[in-house]
Amino acid sequence: MNLYNIKHPEEQVNFAQAVRQGLGKDQGLFFPQIIPQLSNIDELLALPLVERSQQILTALIGEELEQSKLNQLVKNAFTFPAPIVKVEDNIYALELFHGPTLAFKDFGGRFMAQTLAAVRDNNKITILTATSGDTGAAVAHAFYGLENINVVILYPKGKISPLQEKLFCTLGCNIRTVAINADFDACQSLVKKAFDDAELRQTIGLNSANSINISRLLAQVCYYFEAIAQLLVEKRREVVVSVPSGNFGNLTAGLIAKSLGLPIKRFIASTNSNDTVPRYLATGNWLPNATVSTLSNAMDVSRPNNWPRVEELFKRNGWPLSDLHSSAVSDAQTELTLNEMNTKGYLCEPHGAIAYRTLTQDLQLGETGIFLCTAHPAKFKESVERILNIELALPTALDKHNRLPLLSDEMDNDFTKLREYLMNK
Ligand SMILES: *Cc1c(COP(=O)(O)O)cnc(C)c1O
């Protein structure tokens, strides 16, 4: 698989380099030169998840990874199901939260960790990533205990749920977590500064594991196939998929699946009040506001870093950007929606509820809708219990971590301090 830097197309790398490097020159994103058109979609859809995913990833990655090795990686990474659940006529939830950290980021995180361990050279590796909640947990758990790979995770202090924090800040071993006294965008920009620092990058073998790493996106392509595979054949023709979006990696993966030939009619990019994209699609003006905190905090992003890949996919496929529907859902609407869904017998959490809301507003007669449920309701226990006036039991994975002490360090939004911290670890 060959990839180019979207900002500097002359910079070209193979898959292993892209995985190791994360980002290209000037923080440019890597993008595959060729996305093949698969001619055997129906055959693929008939296969079980792991086998099908091995074939899809082979088609994308090519011969760079030995077949048996790739098969093993996929098997190690995809150890949990992604079921669709009928919520009402023609509307299904795709539940992506059955992995070890109860969020969809387990798919990408685990595949990336496996891939990186497979393509690494003998140099030191430090994974540095910023999280608005779930990436941190997925990355920490995916890399936990892997030899000679250090992980440092930055997150906005006080802006993620206490349970989310417990899930990834209690591990220790090769996992270090830092609470930054600022918002998520500031954490993200600290990470970018670190990657711009050639000496630092070299010395500690910096690698990013957030949604900009191409391996994560490729893994996520696979669950879009899994969703369609579970629909009755007659429902597969007019499928609309609503994606709750923050950094837009999830949507990018869906668009890659469509490029491969998966029958998806259109996507809806659903956001919370951090609505840079819906406003951009409506007006043509890219005008990020300051990030605001919402109930769906994993989507509190006003400068989504995968957006250039989304535009690249539309451009390369000759799809008009107007095919991408997009709208924002306020916290008040999210609360109403969660109650409405609960009445219909489906217990959801704020991110999934946003995707459901925009889907019900957008879906036309004769279409089948799928909305992505990116986290288990118990990951947002406080909000869900308050909004629905219920009590939620903690799944065992969360409960175990909830009783351990936090091991995070604390830091101001100051790159000099972060640099020193990284150099000395
Ligand atoms: C990360 C995350 C999102 C946003 O996904 P992107 O790929 O960044 O758009 C949505 N929901 C949850 C629960 C998440 O953790």
Side-chain angles (χ1 to χ4, degrees):
M1 172 180 232
N2 293 314
L3 303 101
Y4 59 93
N5 176 339
I6 290 180
K7 273 195 189 160
H8 297 278
E10 72 284 358
E11 184 186 5
Q12 302 191 354
V13 294
N14 63 19
F15 177 66
Q17 288 168 311
V19 170
R20 284 199 296 259
Q21 241 172 282
L23 277 169
K25 204 165 74 182
D26 280 344
Q27 297 147 13
L29 301 167
F30 289 123
F31 198 82
Q33 261 166 15
I34 295 168
I35 297 174
Q37 286 257 344
L38 304 180
S39 53
N40 58 339
I41 298 284
D42 288 338
E43 277 163 47
L44 284 173
L45 290 175
L47 295 173
L49 172 67
V50 170
E51 255 178 75
R52 183 195 316 115
S53 303
Q54 288 165 341
Q55 294 201 17
I56 294 167
L57 291 164
T58 301
L60 280 165
I61 296 169
E63 288 166 0
E64 222 183 300
L65 280 178
E66 233 172 83
Q67 186 70 57
S68 59
K69 206 168 197 178
L70 180 67
N71 287 350
Q72 193 57 47
L73 297 185
V74 176
K75 210 170 150 196
N76 291 348
F78 294 4
T79 50
F80 47 91
I84 61 170
V85 173
K86 186 170 175 172
V87 175
E88 59 197 81
D89 274 348
N90 290 326
I91 297 192
Y92 298 81
L94 173 62
E95 295 188 343
L96 299 171
F97 51 73
H98 296 284
T101 72
L102 308 176
F104 82 102
K105 291 192 174 79
D106 282 326
F107 280 97
R110 289 168 67 82
F111 183 69
M112 172 174 175
Q114 294 288 327
T115 314
L116 188 62
V119 302
R120 70 172 302 170
D121 47 27
N122 290 324
N123 298 323
K124 194 168 172 177
I125 296 183
T126 304
I127 305 289
L128 176 65
T129 191
T131 185
S132 52
D134 288 338
T135 324
V139 167
H141 284 262
F143 283 93
Y144 179 67
L146 284 185
E147 263 174 51
N148 297 321
I149 301 184
N150 284 316
V151 176
V152 178
I153 300 170
L154 311 184
Y155 64 98
K157 185 174 158 67
K159 296 208 164 78
I160 67 176
S161 89
L163 269 170
Q164 273 181 326
E165 191 176 20
K166 282 282 188 173
L167 189 53
F168 72 99
C169 302
T170 52
L171 289 170
C173 187
N174 61 331
I175 312 295
R176 292 193 181 82
T177 51
V178 187
I180 303 287
N181 290 310
D183 65 13
F184 172 68
D185 285 321
C187 297
Q188 200 156 256
S189 101
L190 282 172
V191 168
K192 286 193 166 173
K193 278 186 194 146
F195 276 90
D196 274 347
D197 185 327
E199 189 198 352
L200 180 68
R201 209 169 56 213
Q202 195 65 34
T203 313
I204 65 171
L206 264 192
N207 189 302
S208 162
N210 68 17
S211 54
I212 53 189
N213 195 291
I214 193 72
S215 62
R216 293 174 43 110
L217 295 183
L218 299 187
Q220 290 175 242
V221 168
C222 300
Y223 56 65
Y224 286 91
F225 281 79
E226 179 69 358
I228 304 294
Q230 292 171 74
L231 288 176
L232 291 172
V233 173
E234 61 267 27
K235 295 229 179 208
R236 288 181 191 166
R237 273 189 308 257
E238 302 269 292
V239 178
V240 179
V241 179
S242 177
V243 185
S245 298
N247 266 319
F248 284 74
N250 208 352
L251 180 69
T252 306
L255 293 165
I256 294 176
K258 182 174 163 74
S259 305
L260 288 167
L262 185 67
I264 291 175
K265 189 176 171 188
R266 75 172 171 280
F267 287 92
I268 307 168
S270 312
T271 72
N272 59 30
S273 305
N274 296 289
D275 58 352
T276 308
V277 167
R279 283 186 293 112
Y280 170 67
L281 291 173
T283 65
N285 297 317
W286 184 263
L287 295 169
N289 292 330
T291 310
V292 295
S293 296
T294 71
L295 287 170
S296 46
N297 61 41
M299 290 155 50
D300 291 350
V301 181
S302 54
R303 299 171 191 272
N305 59 17
N306 271 297
W307 185 254
R309 283 181 171 139
V310 172
E311 289 210 342
E312 190 78 355
L313 273 157
F314 274 85
K315 203 169 72 191
R316 289 232 324 235
N317 283 298
W319 301 330
L321 208 48
S322 56
D323 282 359
L324 180 60
H325 293 191
S326 184
S327 52
V329 178
S330 68
D331 273 358
Q333 287 172 304
T334 306
E335 294 201 14
L336 286 173
T337 306
L338 272 173
N339 272 295
E340 191 186 306
M341 296 172 89
N342 196 38
T343 310
K344 289 183 174 155
Y346 190 73
L347 177 65
C348 201
E349 55 70 52
H351 305 79
I354 285 177
Y356 173 81
R357 173 84 293 146
T358 60
L359 181 64
T360 54
Q361 288 163 355
D362 195 275
L363 202 65
Q364 304 296 309
L365 212 64
E367 292 176 337
T368 299
I370 297 176
F371 64 101
L372 271 46
C373 288
T374 43
H376 191 291
K379 278 200 104 160
F380 296 89
K381 185 172 153 60
E382 288 92 347
S383 334
V384 174
E385 288 188 333
R386 176 185 57 77
I387 295 164
L388 298 180
N389 198 15
I390 56 167
E391 271 191 42
L392 273 181
L394 276 186
T396 36
L398 273 184
D399 193 41
K400 194 179 97 198
H401 291 284
N402 202 25
R403 283 181 274 123
L404 297 171
L406 283 178
L407 301 172
S408 294
D409 295 311
E410 205 179 312
M411 198 181 286
D412 286 333
N413 179 15
D414 178 345
F415 179 64
T416 318
K417 290 207 176 107
L418 176 66
R419 190 176 197 279
E420 207 173 297
Y421 180 89
L422 292 170
M423 282 294 211
N424 293 330
K425 289 286 167 173

